[in-house]
Structure formats: structure tokens, C-alpha cells
Amino acid sequence: MTVALIRPLVVRTVAVSDPDDLLARLPDAAPYAWIRHGEGLVGWGEAARAAVPPGPGRFDWARGWLSSLFAGARIEDEVGMPGSGPVAFGSFTFDADAAGTVLVVPRVVLARRNGRAWLTTIGDGAFDLVTPPSAPGRIRYGDGSLSAPQWEHRVARAVRRIRDGMLDKVVLARDLTAVAERDIDPRVLLERLAERYPECYTFSVDGLVGATPELLVRHTGQAVESLVLAGTTPRGAHPADDAARGAALFASQKDRHEHACAVASVREALAPLCSALDVPDRPELLVLPNVQHLASRVTGRLSDGASVLDVVAAMHPTAAVGGTPTGAALRVIRELEGMDRAGYSGPVGWIDSRGDGEWGIALRCAYVSGRRARLFAGCGIMAGSDPASELAEAQAKLRVMRYALEG
């Protein structure tokens, strides 16, 4: 079902003075956000919304809906930068056959980038009252779809599948439930995440809130960029321990192979779309407050001016969130994971009327509704994986959203 609140869209973008703190400008109602190092976009209200039908053609449907919507809009844009003019925020489910993919064009978008700031309004661009965010209070946690021992057992079964030659890698996710003392204000989570994890992309789309370290694609004109993460270790207890863990991760045959699989899947997806593609020979170490990752930044130039959604469609699901080979990994996920991921590990981000945008993989995130939240984490399972170690890695990743809830 598709709902358009204002049709045709009447859009106006004007330059404004630097808002300094984008998140502080968000009202209480259903915030939209995409922030890194204080730059990005925040939005509120709804000028248009689409519930994207599930199925293999969902990205084509989404692009067609947006093209029609934006083509009929009356746009006055005095800024002319990626993210100015009308912008849609979106969240795609991990599984193409699952319902829940959504695109929303906010009534108001406030943005800052590269020393410039702008405000986009659609229609009357209603400015809701900004009230101070309030903390959710005490948090109680419970098992999600599987208990920790049950999940370890599923990991062991996945390892056996890999050792039997059915596949090279599979990513298994687990969830955790949380119930707060009071309603959870997404703005509190966004502020905490943006402050503690400035290197990540802090996002909020239709109740899905998180801070992902993984940039699926940045599309500016014909330039594309992707940050591939695969291979993880927790941070150390002190600097020497931290350095030793990083060195062990870099030297780990298991983690290097997992990372190579992820990079290969991105190369294979981007190569047909690009006239030039630069893929690093070896990964770097990305150090975050809770974990360290093996990371590779892939850059390229599109050969045909494809929309960012075309690139997202070609890349999802990457080996970093699904596995290799993709078909076999998805079958094992459906057999063993025991839950619906919804938007977790699916593409999340924004797109403007020029086809530019930034999309990440929805990691380190939770679905928030009232007093309840559903937290997610996932681990890449290889032939040498140990279930207890994978559980510890998942728990380290869950600490991101636990911190966001607890402060």
C-alpha cells in the first residue's frame, strides 16, 4: 500500500545558518536521521510514504515509485548538493520475501555537510514543538527468538554444514528483547549513539534505530564508495591487550578469509556497474569503542549513471551479512536462525531526487516501539568457528544498543 499526503510535492530548499547539533532540532514524533561526525540529515513528518511490496523486484518498484513522485514535484532548490531537494529515507528488509520495507519522504529535512547547512520543507513544512528527550529508565532484558545455548547449538550445526562442503560462510543473527520503565524516546538513543560512536552512521527510520559501522554505498554523481567490514574482535582491557587483539585479528587466517569473501562479493556486485573500480589488496583495522574490525574501502566510478538504489540492489545481501555462496547461505539462515530479521542487516539510508544517497547495512540496531525494543547482532560463521566465541562476539555487538538504552 502507498500513501501520499501531499501530491504533487511542493518542495523548497534554502541555505540556513549552521544548526551545530542536528539531533537537538528533532521533535518527539517519529524522527528520521542519518548522522556521522555531526554531519548528515534529520527529518520529521511525512509528505509521502510507501510500503514497498516484497519480492525480487522490490528495488525496481521502489525506484519507480520515487521517480514518479519526484518527477511530479515542484522543486525549488537553491543549494544543489547531495541531500538537498526532496529526500526519502528508507529501510529494506534483509529477506526480499519479507514484508516491512518502507520509504518515507519527510515534510521537513535539516542537513549539514562540508561546511554548508540547508533546510528542505514540503508543503507547509510543519515545525513540531521540540520537547526535551527523556531517558527510558530501568531496562529489563529477555531472550529473543532463541536462548544463548540454543543459538550456540545452531552455530555448531552451521559449522558442520560448512565443514561438509555445503558453503564457505554463513552469518547467523540473534535477537534480544528489552522492556523499559517508560516509553523509549528514539532521540535519546540517537544522541547517545552519535556521541559514543562518531565513526559510525547513526540512523533512525520508521522505528529502526542504530549506529552502523558498515557503509554499503555512498553515491555522488557517478562516484561510488563502499566500506566492507568482516572479521571482528572485542576491544582489550588495556592498551597492550587492545593492540595484541588487533594484531591477532589481522593475523587470523579465519578472519582474513571471512574478510576476503566479503570483499569479493562487493567486487562482483560493483564490477558490472563501474567503468573503474579500486579494491585494496589488504584490509585495514577499524577500531571502534566496543570492537575492532577488518575493513576495506572500495571506490569506483559508475559507467551508466545508475541510481543509488540500483547499486544497493546489486550489492545486497553482501557476504558480510549473508554468507557465501549467497544462495546456500540464505537457505541455511532460513533453516537455522529461527527468526525474522526484519530490517536488521538490510539496507538503510536515504536517496534524493538526483539518485544520490548513502546507504548502510542496518547493524548495531534495534526496533523501538513504546516501552519495548528488539535488539540484534550477528556473526560470520566459518569452518573454524567456535560457538562460545561467536556468542561472546554477538554479546559484544549487542552492547552498542544496550548502552544506547541504559546510558
Side-chain angles (χ1 to χ4, degrees):
M1 182 179 69
T2 302
V3 177
L5 301 181
I6 302 174
R7 189 181 287 275
L9 302 182
V10 179
V11 186
R12 186 166 185 254
T13 297
V14 297
V16 296
S17 58
D18 193 337
D20 186 42
D21 185 353
L22 291 172
L23 294 174
R25 306 301 180 95
L26 281 170
D28 188 18
Y32 297 90
W34 181 267
I35 301 291
R36 182 174 182 265
H37 285 309
E39 294 196 339
L41 306 90
V42 297
W44 59 93
E46 288 186 9
R49 164 186 284 265
V52 180
R58 59 186 181 152
F59 289 104
D60 290 337
W61 190 97
R63 183 179 181 183
W65 181 78
L66 286 171
S67 296
S68 176
L69 185 69
F70 291 155
R74 298 201 297 269
I75 303 171
E76 181 183 337
D77 180 3
E78 68 178 45
V79 175
M81 291 183 64
S84 67
V87 169
F89 288 79
S91 167
F92 284 76
T93 57
F94 170 78
D95 190 332
D97 293 329
T101 294
V102 64
L103 291 168
V104 177
V105 179
R107 284 177 178 261
V108 182
V109 172
L110 182 62
R112 66 194 299 247
R113 179 176 178 147
N114 298 333
R116 300 186 66 183
W118 60 90
L119 176 71
T120 299
T121 55
I122 298 180
D124 61 9
F127 286 82
D128 297 340
L129 178 65
V130 178
T131 58
S134 57
R138 187 175 56 186
I139 308 293
R140 292 184 291 107
Y141 295 97
D143 285 333
S145 305
L146 298 173
S147 67
Q150 288 173 325
W151 191 77
E152 286 182 294
H153 178 65
R154 302 296 174 93
V155 170
R157 288 172 62 185
V159 170
R160 289 197 291 273
R161 301 281 197 286
I162 294 167
R163 290 177 178 173
D164 288 343
M166 293 178 59
L167 70 168
D168 297 320
K169 171 191 173 181
V170 63
V171 178
L172 291 184
R174 68 181 303 250
D175 59 348
L176 189 70
T177 63
V179 180
E181 190 176 354
R182 295 180 288 276
D183 280 354
I184 301 168
D185 189 333
R187 297 175 300 168
V188 172
L189 310 188
L190 291 170
E191 289 172 357
R192 289 172 175 172
L193 291 169
E195 181 179 6
R196 183 146 181 170
Y197 302 96
E199 289 289 335
C200 293
Y201 297 84
T202 300
F203 62 87
S204 174
V205 178
D206 209 45
L208 183 64
V209 181
T212 180
E214 190 142 357
L215 177 68
L216 184 62
V217 60
R218 175 183 294 116
H219 180 295
T220 307
Q222 286 186 289
V224 290
E225 177 183 347
S226 179
L227 179 63
V228 184
L229 304 181
T232 306
T233 189
R235 294 294 302 274
H238 49 77
D241 181 32
D242 208 36
R245 287 173 179 266
L249 176 64
F250 208 79
S252 165
Q253 184 176 356
K254 177 257 184 189
D255 289 292
R256 290 292 289 268
H257 179 58
E258 179 184 352
H259 187 82
C261 289
V263 171
S265 75
V266 170
R267 181 194 292 111
E268 290 168 8
L270 286 180
L273 299 174
C274 291
S275 58
L277 191 63
D278 182 20
V279 181
D281 294 331
R282 53 185 290 174
E284 299 177 348
L285 201 61
L286 177 64
V287 180
L288 301 175
N290 60 319
V291 294
Q292 303 181 63
H293 292 293
L294 295 179
S296 293
R297 192 172 299 277
V298 178
T299 58
R301 187 165 184 81
L302 292 172
S303 54
D304 61 355
S307 158
V308 67
L309 284 184
D310 296 318
V311 184
V312 171
M315 295 181 68
H316 178 75
T318 68
V321 295
T324 51
T326 301
L330 293 178
R331 287 191 292 273
V332 171
I333 288 170
R334 293 185 182 115
E335 176 191 357
L336 298 181
E337 205 166 67
M339 70 175 191
D340 177 11
R341 291 191 186 185
Y344 168 72
S345 70
V348 62
W350 61 269
I351 177 175
D352 66 18
S353 59
R354 290 169 289 269
D356 288 335
E358 292 180 313
W359 289 76
I361 298 175
L363 307 174
R364 320 294 195 271
C365 61
Y367 272 104
V368 176
S369 178
R371 295 170 52 230
R372 299 184 175 274
R374 184 183 177 209
L375 289 62
F376 299 88
C379 298
I381 311 304
M382 307 288 289
S385 291
D386 169 64
S389 297
E390 299 298 341
L391 179 63
E393 179 180 320
Q395 290 170 333
K397 292 173 177 176
L398 285 167
R399 289 192 197 110
V400 174
M401 291 310 299
R402 293 189 64 159
Y403 165 77
L405 289 166
E406 299 166 14

